[in-house]
Amino acid sequence: MPFPRSLTWQPPALLLVLAAALSGWLLLGFAGRHEGMRPLAGWDGGEVAVLQEKAPAGDATAAEIAALPETAWLPWGKPGFIREHGEGSAWVRITLRNPGAAPQSGVLMDAARYADHVDFFSPLDPARDPHPEGAGAWLQQVSGEWVPTADKAIRGRETAFPLVLPPHGSRVIYLHYQDAIALWLEPGWWRDAGDFHAAMQRDLIAESFYFGTLLALLLYHFIVWLRLRFPATGYYLLYLAFYILQLFGTRSGVLVLGRPLGSPWMETIGAMSLPLSGAFLAAFARHFLELPDRAPRADRTVRGAGYLLGGLAVLALLAVVSGHAYLLNLIVAIGGLAHIALLGAGVVVWRSGGWEARYFVLLSGLLLAGLVPLVVLMRDAPFETVCRVVMLGSALEILALSLALGERFARLQREKLAAQALAVEEAERRHQIQEAYADELEHEVRSRTRELMAADADKDRMLTVLGHDLRSPLTALTLSAEQEAVAVRPDFAAEVAQTGRALLLLLEDVLLWTRLRAGTVRVMEHAAESVVRPMVELHRSGAAGREVGLLLEMAEDARVKTDLVLAQTLVRNLVSNAVKSARHRVSVKVTATDFVRISVRDDGPGLPEAVMASLRDPAVPLPLGNARSGLGLRLCLEITQALDTSLESGTPDGGGTEISFTLPRAET
């Protein structure tokens, strides 16, 4: 049934707006205040140049690099990749100028921070920077993801170096970058080291609050899942856990904890976690939106996207192990396309009446709408701003999915309370009826029960007496008629014999029916041939009289577990009905696999649809007045119930009727 709409949409919408405003201020306002930093690209107070690839860098020292001609350097004007596809290392020359009359004690940093190892070299002026080595001495520092915290120029996750610019002077810095995947260059100069440290503290506070909120949300839903075991909540937990892991890894959270971790393993954490989170998000959408029932085609698409994302997670690990770590960026890009499948599924379910799907449509649509221009402008926007916008969009998506889960729980609670109210009301009504009519109902039930039991006992006794009383004289009559079949009136005698045999079989069916009513079933192991062949031979002469061929095909050495009398009676009645209806041929086939199947097929006009409906569903009564729905077929239905099997009917190619049933196979 369609999801009922919420009582009101204003509270969730207001919460999302407030969360967006607070998160945006926290990540882009409070933590994004980097007014004290000057990007070196395009600033007249600094110059950036990159050593061209054709220049003979090798394992050269800083002094050898500084001695290279100006033609070996390529000016660098904006943030971007200076090396891609695992090219390894690069030399960067930065010139900083201080036009002021006071020295600048600042910090040179790379806003991207994602280099494995960065060596800092700056020549010292003997007159300004006395050094024991004298002329030709260099100021050397080190930073990077794989550098231990104690050895870094400035502790923390940033790639930053403290530096003093003399009044009305300049300094030249040579940076040797090394990374296993790619190098993104975005240098900046903090003229005041105090501003740098204050900004880094604001960033740390904002991200601590951000990740703390996500962890609290994860813990809350984990507790909910432990209590309710709601499948969608479990998949949401896994999605949220891997997404937090991905964000924590890409934001260099391990470095904040004091542990060095760089390429390619830091990228591997993100490249594996992002597809896995997408795979669990797809599983969450399938369960939460009830896609298998509401939109099977969209369900297949989302399920395929989930399998693809799971494969990408494995591919990410293989890319690192095989030395193709530069493919991780492509894997992450493909993983991000999962939101397109979820957006489409949400639209389909929403259009079909799934009101809660609006969360998927809203958040997936906004996230994609925000990411498309962000990707286009990524090379021009500050790298840190790009990361924070993605964090903001992710937080809103996670919050919206949490609200969707909360609305689902609220709906279930409302349905539960409504059901409980109805149950209480129904219980009170029944209690009132029981109090008013308890004695009368009890008396009526007892009286009717006694009458039914007496009538049932009388009926069983009557049928038993009838069978026994008629069996003996009919047996004697049949034997006498068979002995006289070759005398003066052979046709009459044969007809009497045939009629007597039919009456005997009918009485056997009546007695067998009383046995079924008594619940007497004796299951033993028997050869399948002993069940089928005697009953086929019993009808061979009658089939010959009707010019109907009677064929038997037996599986060799097949044995069954059954009540022999009941099974034989079942076969006998099916063959009898088939012979009566066949035009030219009746075939009986016994096949053995894990069970033994007995099939009876004729080429007659076929069973009426009303009879076929009764065979398919025992609850549908057999129609009266049909030649193929008399006592024999009714008895067959009761026998199949006693033998814990069922009749299967159909119309084979060429017309006619085929009825079959199965029996448990006994070990030979």
Side-chain angles (χ1 to χ4, degrees), residues 461-492:
R461 284 195 298 271
M462 181 190 68
L463 291 175
T464 303
V465 172
L466 177 63
H468 283 289
D469 287 347
L470 291 179
R471 176 185 291 177
S472 297
L474 283 175
T475 301
L477 176 61
T478 302
L479 290 175
S480 299
E482 288 176 345
Q483 293 172 0
E484 297 296 331
V486 295
V488 180
R489 300 180 63 187
D491 294 339
F492 173 76

mmCIF file of all heavy atoms in Angstrom, residues 461-492:
data_model
loop_
_atom_site.group_PDB
_atom_site.id
_atom_site.type_symbol
_atom_site.label_atom_id
_atom_site.label_comp_id
_atom_site.label_asym_id
_atom_site.label_seq_id
_atom_site.Cartn_x
_atom_site.Cartn_y
_atom_site.Cartn_z
ATOM 1 N N ARG A 461 -20.963 -45.945 10.506
ATOM 2 C CA ARG A 461 -21.488 -47.303 10.739
ATOM 3 C C ARG A 461 -22.329 -47.768 9.562
ATOM 4 O O ARG A 461 -22.249 -48.923 9.131
ATOM 5 C CB ARG A 461 -22.317 -47.306 12.024
ATOM 6 C CG ARG A 461 -21.484 -47.293 13.300
ATOM 7 C CD ARG A 461 -22.343 -47.669 14.509
ATOM 8 N NE ARG A 461 -23.426 -46.719 14.721
ATOM 9 C CZ ARG A 461 -23.301 -45.623 15.463
ATOM 10 N NH1 ARG A 461 -22.159 -45.337 16.047
ATOM 11 N NH2 ARG A 461 -24.340 -44.805 15.621
ATOM 12 N N MET A 462 -23.127 -46.863 9.006
ATOM 13 C CA MET A 462 -23.977 -47.236 7.883
ATOM 14 C C MET A 462 -23.136 -47.638 6.674
ATOM 15 O O MET A 462 -23.412 -48.647 6.013
ATOM 16 C CB MET A 462 -24.877 -46.066 7.515
ATOM 17 C CG MET A 462 -25.824 -46.376 6.352
ATOM 18 S SD MET A 462 -26.646 -44.897 5.755
ATOM 19 C CE MET A 462 -25.263 -44.048 5.052
ATOM 20 N N LEU A 463 -22.138 -46.875 6.381
ATOM 21 C CA LEU A 463 -21.302 -47.201 5.229
ATOM 22 C C LEU A 463 -20.559 -48.512 5.435
ATOM 23 O O LEU A 463 -20.403 -49.314 4.508
ATOM 24 C CB LEU A 463 -20.310 -46.058 4.981
ATOM 25 C CG LEU A 463 -20.934 -44.746 4.486
ATOM 26 C CD1 LEU A 463 -19.880 -43.667 4.403
ATOM 27 C CD2 LEU A 463 -21.590 -44.944 3.125
ATOM 28 N N THR A 464 -20.092 -48.742 6.643
ATOM 29 C CA THR A 464 -19.383 -49.994 6.919
ATOM 30 C C THR A 464 -20.311 -51.192 6.748
ATOM 31 O O THR A 464 -19.972 -52.201 6.097
ATOM 32 C CB THR A 464 -18.810 -49.959 8.342
ATOM 33 O OG1 THR A 464 -17.958 -48.822 8.471
ATOM 34 C CG2 THR A 464 -18.014 -51.219 8.627
ATOM 35 N N VAL A 465 -21.499 -51.099 7.352
ATOM 36 C CA VAL A 465 -22.466 -52.206 7.222
ATOM 37 C C VAL A 465 -22.866 -52.403 5.773
ATOM 38 O O VAL A 465 -22.954 -53.543 5.279
ATOM 39 C CB VAL A 465 -23.707 -51.920 8.103
ATOM 40 C CG1 VAL A 465 -24.800 -52.929 7.835
ATOM 41 C CG2 VAL A 465 -23.317 -51.958 9.570
ATOM 42 N N LEU A 466 -23.095 -51.298 5.056
ATOM 43 C CA LEU A 466 -23.477 -51.397 3.655
ATOM 44 C C LEU A 466 -22.404 -52.091 2.836
ATOM 45 O O LEU A 466 -22.689 -52.975 2.016
ATOM 46 C CB LEU A 466 -23.739 -49.996 3.104
ATOM 47 C CG LEU A 466 -24.080 -49.897 1.616
ATOM 48 C CD1 LEU A 466 -25.374 -50.637 1.318
ATOM 49 C CD2 LEU A 466 -24.187 -48.445 1.178
ATOM 50 N N GLY A 467 -21.179 -51.731 3.072
ATOM 51 C CA GLY A 467 -20.099 -52.366 2.317
ATOM 52 C C GLY A 467 -19.992 -53.838 2.598
ATOM 53 O O GLY A 467 -19.873 -54.661 1.682
ATOM 54 N N HIS A 468 -20.034 -54.209 3.866
ATOM 55 C CA HIS A 468 -19.903 -55.627 4.203
ATOM 56 C C HIS A 468 -21.111 -56.442 3.745
ATOM 57 O O HIS A 468 -20.967 -57.587 3.298
ATOM 58 C CB HIS A 468 -19.721 -55.772 5.716
ATOM 59 C CG HIS A 468 -18.319 -55.435 6.165
ATOM 60 N ND1 HIS A 468 -17.248 -56.227 5.893
ATOM 61 C CD2 HIS A 468 -17.843 -54.355 6.849
ATOM 62 C CE1 HIS A 468 -16.154 -55.681 6.397
ATOM 63 N NE2 HIS A 468 -16.492 -54.525 6.986
ATOM 64 N N ASP A 469 -22.299 -55.865 3.833
ATOM 65 C CA ASP A 469 -23.496 -56.608 3.438
ATOM 66 C C ASP A 469 -23.552 -56.840 1.942
ATOM 67 O O ASP A 469 -24.062 -57.878 1.478
ATOM 68 C CB ASP A 469 -24.749 -55.860 3.890
ATOM 69 C CG ASP A 469 -24.930 -55.967 5.405
ATOM 70 O OD1 ASP A 469 -24.240 -56.806 6.021
ATOM 71 O OD2 ASP A 469 -25.752 -55.199 5.961
ATOM 72 N N LEU A 470 -23.069 -55.874 1.161
ATOM 73 C CA LEU A 470 -23.153 -56.022 -0.294
ATOM 74 C C LEU A 470 -21.961 -56.761 -0.887
ATOM 75 O O LEU A 470 -22.046 -57.273 -1.996
ATOM 76 C CB LEU A 470 -23.248 -54.634 -0.939
ATOM 77 C CG LEU A 470 -24.564 -53.872 -0.697
ATOM 78 C CD1 LEU A 470 -24.504 -52.525 -1.377
ATOM 79 C CD2 LEU A 470 -25.759 -54.674 -1.218
ATOM 80 N N ARG A 471 -20.861 -56.821 -0.162
ATOM 81 C CA ARG A 471 -19.661 -57.436 -0.737
ATOM 82 C C ARG A 471 -19.871 -58.926 -1.000
ATOM 83 O O ARG A 471 -19.561 -59.434 -2.090
ATOM 84 C CB ARG A 471 -18.479 -57.230 0.191
ATOM 85 C CG ARG A 471 -17.219 -57.929 -0.323
ATOM 86 C CD ARG A 471 -16.091 -57.821 0.664
ATOM 87 N NE ARG A 471 -15.607 -56.454 0.764
ATOM 88 C CZ ARG A 471 -14.647 -56.088 1.604
ATOM 89 N NH1 ARG A 471 -14.120 -56.976 2.416
ATOM 90 N NH2 ARG A 471 -14.249 -54.846 1.653
ATOM 91 N N SER A 472 -20.406 -59.657 -0.028
ATOM 92 C CA SER A 472 -20.508 -61.117 -0.170
ATOM 93 C C SER A 472 -21.414 -61.526 -1.315
ATOM 94 O O SER A 472 -21.007 -62.307 -2.194
ATOM 95 C CB SER A 472 -20.989 -61.723 1.151
ATOM 96 O OG SER A 472 -20.033 -61.473 2.157
ATOM 97 N N PRO A 473 -22.700 -61.073 -1.379
ATOM 98 C CA PRO A 473 -23.548 -61.520 -2.494
ATOM 99 C C PRO A 473 -23.012 -61.087 -3.843
ATOM 100 O O PRO A 473 -23.118 -61.841 -4.824
ATOM 101 C CB PRO A 473 -24.897 -60.877 -2.195
ATOM 102 C CG PRO A 473 -24.614 -59.770 -1.247
ATOM 103 C CD PRO A 473 -23.457 -60.217 -0.440
ATOM 104 N N LEU A 474 -22.445 -59.892 -3.945
ATOM 105 C CA LEU A 474 -21.923 -59.462 -5.234
ATOM 106 C C LEU A 474 -20.706 -60.295 -5.635
ATOM 107 O O LEU A 474 -20.505 -60.587 -6.817
ATOM 108 C CB LEU A 474 -21.560 -57.985 -5.176
ATOM 109 C CG LEU A 474 -22.753 -57.019 -5.261
ATOM 110 C CD1 LEU A 474 -22.289 -55.596 -5.062
ATOM 111 C CD2 LEU A 474 -23.451 -57.159 -6.606
ATOM 112 N N THR A 475 -19.945 -60.698 -4.645
ATOM 113 C CA THR A 475 -18.797 -61.554 -4.960
ATOM 114 C C THR A 475 -19.274 -62.891 -5.504
ATOM 115 O O THR A 475 -18.754 -63.406 -6.518
ATOM 116 C CB THR A 475 -17.944 -61.765 -3.706
ATOM 117 O OG1 THR A 475 -17.492 -60.487 -3.233
ATOM 118 C CG2 THR A 475 -16.741 -62.628 -4.012
ATOM 119 N N ALA A 476 -20.267 -63.474 -4.840
ATOM 120 C CA ALA A 476 -20.805 -64.759 -5.317
ATOM 121 C C ALA A 476 -21.406 -64.621 -6.700
ATOM 122 O O ALA A 476 -21.225 -65.479 -7.585
ATOM 123 C CB ALA A 476 -21.852 -65.278 -4.326
ATOM 124 N N LEU A 477 -22.177 -63.527 -6.937
ATOM 125 C CA LEU A 477 -22.790 -63.306 -8.243
ATOM 126 C C LEU A 477 -21.741 -63.174 -9.326
ATOM 127 O O LEU A 477 -21.877 -63.729 -10.421
ATOM 128 C CB LEU A 477 -23.656 -62.050 -8.177
ATOM 129 C CG LEU A 477 -24.298 -61.603 -9.500
ATOM 130 C CD1 LEU A 477 -25.235 -62.677 -10.031
ATOM 131 C CD2 LEU A 477 -25.034 -60.287 -9.320
ATOM 132 N N THR A 478 -20.700 -62.456 -9.030
ATOM 133 C CA THR A 478 -19.647 -62.257 -10.035
ATOM 134 C C THR A 478 -18.957 -63.564 -10.373
ATOM 135 O O THR A 478 -18.689 -63.877 -11.543
ATOM 136 C CB THR A 478 -18.622 -61.243 -9.510
ATOM 137 O OG1 THR A 478 -19.293 -60.018 -9.200
ATOM 138 C CG2 THR A 478 -17.553 -60.953 -10.554
ATOM 139 N N LEU A 479 -18.656 -64.383 -9.355
ATOM 140 C CA LEU A 479 -18.001 -65.672 -9.611
ATOM 141 C C LEU A 479 -18.894 -66.577 -10.446
ATOM 142 O O LEU A 479 -18.432 -67.246 -11.398
ATOM 143 C CB LEU A 479 -17.639 -66.337 -8.290
ATOM 144 C CG LEU A 479 -16.513 -65.665 -7.488
ATOM 145 C CD1 LEU A 479 -16.330 -66.360 -6.139
ATOM 146 C CD2 LEU A 479 -15.213 -65.705 -8.275
ATOM 147 N N SER A 480 -20.183 -66.617 -10.126
ATOM 148 C CA SER A 480 -21.112 -67.466 -10.891
ATOM 149 C C SER A 480 -21.201 -66.994 -12.333
ATOM 150 O O SER A 480 -21.209 -67.803 -13.270
ATOM 151 C CB SER A 480 -22.498 -67.446 -10.236
ATOM 152 O OG SER A 480 -22.430 -67.948 -8.917
ATOM 153 N N ALA A 481 -21.311 -65.681 -12.522
ATOM 154 C CA ALA A 481 -21.424 -65.164 -13.882
ATOM 155 C C ALA A 481 -20.169 -65.446 -14.686
ATOM 156 O O ALA A 481 -20.236 -65.754 -15.873
ATOM 157 C CB ALA A 481 -21.693 -63.665 -13.828
ATOM 158 N N GLU A 482 -19.012 -65.364 -14.044
ATOM 159 C CA GLU A 482 -17.763 -65.645 -14.764
ATOM 160 C C GLU A 482 -17.681 -67.124 -15.149
ATOM 161 O O GLU A 482 -17.167 -67.486 -16.209
ATOM 162 C CB GLU A 482 -16.572 -65.237 -13.896
ATOM 163 C CG GLU A 482 -16.418 -63.730 -13.770
ATOM 164 C CD GLU A 482 -15.283 -63.360 -12.831
ATOM 165 O OE1 GLU A 482 -14.820 -64.255 -12.083
ATOM 166 O OE2 GLU A 482 -14.874 -62.160 -12.847
ATOM 167 N N GLN A 483 -18.190 -68.013 -14.279
ATOM 168 C CA GLN A 483 -18.176 -69.442 -14.600
ATOM 169 C C GLN A 483 -19.124 -69.772 -15.745
ATOM 170 O O GLN A 483 -18.891 -70.704 -16.519
ATOM 171 C CB GLN A 483 -18.548 -70.254 -13.366
ATOM 172 C CG GLN A 483 -17.489 -70.175 -12.257
ATOM 173 C CD GLN A 483 -17.954 -70.831 -10.978
ATOM 174 O OE1 GLN A 483 -19.082 -71.342 -10.924
ATOM 175 N NE2 GLN A 483 -17.089 -70.804 -9.962
ATOM 176 N N GLU A 484 -20.220 -68.982 -15.858
ATOM 177 C CA GLU A 484 -21.201 -69.234 -16.916
ATOM 178 C C GLU A 484 -20.925 -68.412 -18.168
ATOM 179 O O GLU A 484 -21.744 -68.390 -19.079
ATOM 180 C CB GLU A 484 -22.607 -68.891 -16.406
ATOM 181 C CG GLU A 484 -23.073 -69.750 -15.235
ATOM 182 C CD GLU A 484 -23.221 -71.230 -15.627
ATOM 183 O OE1 GLU A 484 -23.509 -71.467 -16.823
ATOM 184 O OE2 GLU A 484 -23.059 -72.095 -14.767
ATOM 185 N N ALA A 485 -19.813 -67.678 -18.200
ATOM 186 C CA ALA A 485 -19.552 -66.786 -19.328
ATOM 187 C C ALA A 485 -19.402 -67.526 -20.642
ATOM 188 O O ALA A 485 -19.588 -66.956 -21.713
ATOM 189 C CB ALA A 485 -18.295 -65.964 -19.054
ATOM 190 N N VAL A 486 -19.085 -68.844 -20.566
ATOM 191 C CA VAL A 486 -18.886 -69.626 -21.797
ATOM 192 C C VAL A 486 -20.101 -70.484 -22.101
ATOM 193 O O VAL A 486 -20.078 -71.333 -22.994
ATOM 194 C CB VAL A 486 -17.636 -70.514 -21.648
ATOM 195 C CG1 VAL A 486 -16.408 -69.657 -21.534
ATOM 196 C CG2 VAL A 486 -17.778 -71.409 -20.418
ATOM 197 N N ALA A 487 -21.202 -70.312 -21.359
ATOM 198 C CA ALA A 487 -22.405 -71.134 -21.528
ATOM 199 C C ALA A 487 -23.300 -70.557 -22.619
ATOM 200 O O ALA A 487 -22.833 -69.879 -23.527
ATOM 201 C CB ALA A 487 -23.151 -71.248 -20.201
ATOM 202 N N VAL A 488 -24.590 -70.725 -22.394
ATOM 203 C CA VAL A 488 -25.558 -70.416 -23.443
ATOM 204 C C VAL A 488 -25.595 -68.925 -23.761
ATOM 205 O O VAL A 488 -25.719 -68.511 -24.898
ATOM 206 C CB VAL A 488 -26.953 -70.914 -23.017
ATOM 207 C CG1 VAL A 488 -27.990 -70.606 -24.105
ATOM 208 C CG2 VAL A 488 -26.904 -72.409 -22.761
ATOM 209 N N ARG A 489 -25.546 -68.059 -22.760
ATOM 210 C CA ARG A 489 -25.649 -66.601 -22.964
ATOM 211 C C ARG A 489 -24.336 -65.931 -22.545
ATOM 212 O O ARG A 489 -24.259 -65.291 -21.497
ATOM 213 C CB ARG A 489 -26.806 -66.047 -22.157
ATOM 214 C CG ARG A 489 -28.161 -66.676 -22.553
ATOM 215 C CD ARG A 489 -29.275 -66.095 -21.713
ATOM 216 N NE ARG A 489 -29.395 -64.664 -21.971
ATOM 217 C CZ ARG A 489 -30.212 -63.859 -21.250
ATOM 218 N NH1 ARG A 489 -30.919 -64.347 -20.262
ATOM 219 N NH2 ARG A 489 -30.289 -62.581 -21.539
ATOM 220 N N PRO A 490 -23.265 -66.123 -23.307
ATOM 221 C CA PRO A 490 -21.970 -65.558 -22.897
ATOM 222 C C PRO A 490 -21.973 -64.030 -22.813
ATOM 223 O O PRO A 490 -21.349 -63.463 -21.954
ATOM 224 C CB PRO A 490 -21.018 -66.048 -23.998
ATOM 225 C CG PRO A 490 -21.913 -66.342 -25.171
ATOM 226 C CD PRO A 490 -23.222 -66.819 -24.610
ATOM 227 N N ASP A 491 -22.690 -63.360 -23.678
ATOM 228 C CA ASP A 491 -22.702 -61.893 -23.618
ATOM 229 C C ASP A 491 -23.331 -61.404 -22.329
ATOM 230 O O ASP A 491 -22.835 -60.484 -21.666
ATOM 231 C CB ASP A 491 -23.458 -61.321 -24.815
ATOM 232 C CG ASP A 491 -22.741 -61.611 -26.119
ATOM 233 O OD1 ASP A 491 -21.523 -61.879 -26.060
ATOM 234 O OD2 ASP A 491 -23.398 -61.565 -27.167
ATOM 235 N N PHE A 492 -24.452 -62.015 -21.942
ATOM 236 C CA PHE A 492 -25.124 -61.597 -20.721
ATOM 237 C C PHE A 492 -24.257 -61.877 -19.495
ATOM 238 O O PHE A 492 -24.127 -61.052 -18.591
ATOM 239 C CB PHE A 492 -26.471 -62.328 -20.611
ATOM 240 C CG PHE A 492 -27.160 -62.087 -19.289
ATOM 241 C CD1 PHE A 492 -27.800 -60.866 -19.049
ATOM 242 C CD2 PHE A 492 -27.150 -63.040 -18.290
ATOM 243 C CE1 PHE A 492 -28.429 -60.646 -17.840
ATOM 244 C CE2 PHE A 492 -27.775 -62.813 -17.086
ATOM 245 C CZ PHE A 492 -28.432 -61.617 -16.849
#
